[in-house]
Amino acid sequence: PDQRKFIRRLRDSILDQYRGKPAREQIKRLENAIADRISGAYSPAAFEARMGTPHSKDGVGFSVTSARNLSRHLEKLLAQGVEKD
């Protein structure tokens, strides 16, 4: 439960940087990608690639530019040590 809460906080902070309106499925995939990134399953580059991969190919579906910007924002949050609760 605490990890889900942490992931939602990271998601909300990331989406605050996004100017568009993500679809529900896109938000779900973003949460899964964040979980994979914080668990170490994805490197920063792999996370960014997943963010920019189209929905049809099981990605999150952001544009390449948005994927880069949002990924950088996540890395900044993780480097700053965002609290888990």
Side-chain angles (χ1 to χ4, degrees):
D2 286 343
Q3 186 170 11
R4 297 303 312 162
K5 190 175 181 182
F6 180 54
I7 290 168
R8 284 193 300 271
R9 287 184 61 211
L10 291 170
R11 175 206 65 201
D12 290 346
S13 183
I14 289 170
L15 291 178
D16 283 348
Q17 304 297 310
Y18 183 61
R19 286 182 166 74
K21 174 78 170 124
R24 181 173 292 150
E25 182 62 25
Q26 197 172 19
I27 293 169
K28 185 176 179 181
R29 289 181 183 195
L30 172 60
E31 289 176 355
N32 290 335
I34 292 168
D36 287 341
R37 176 66 194 103
I38 64 175
S39 72
Y42 278 176
S43 67
F47 177 80
E48 181 178 328
R50 185 171 175 189
M51 293 282 284
T53 300
H55 252 133
S56 61
K57 296 183 180 177
D58 294 324
V60 180
F62 288 110
S63 71
V64 173
T65 301
S66 290
R68 183 181 324 111
N69 293 337
L70 298 174
S71 296
R72 286 181 181 164
H73 185 68
L74 175 65
E75 294 306 316
K76 287 178 191 175
L77 292 172
L78 295 176
Q80 291 170 358
V82 175
E83 295 190 24
K84 292 188 179 187
D85 54 15

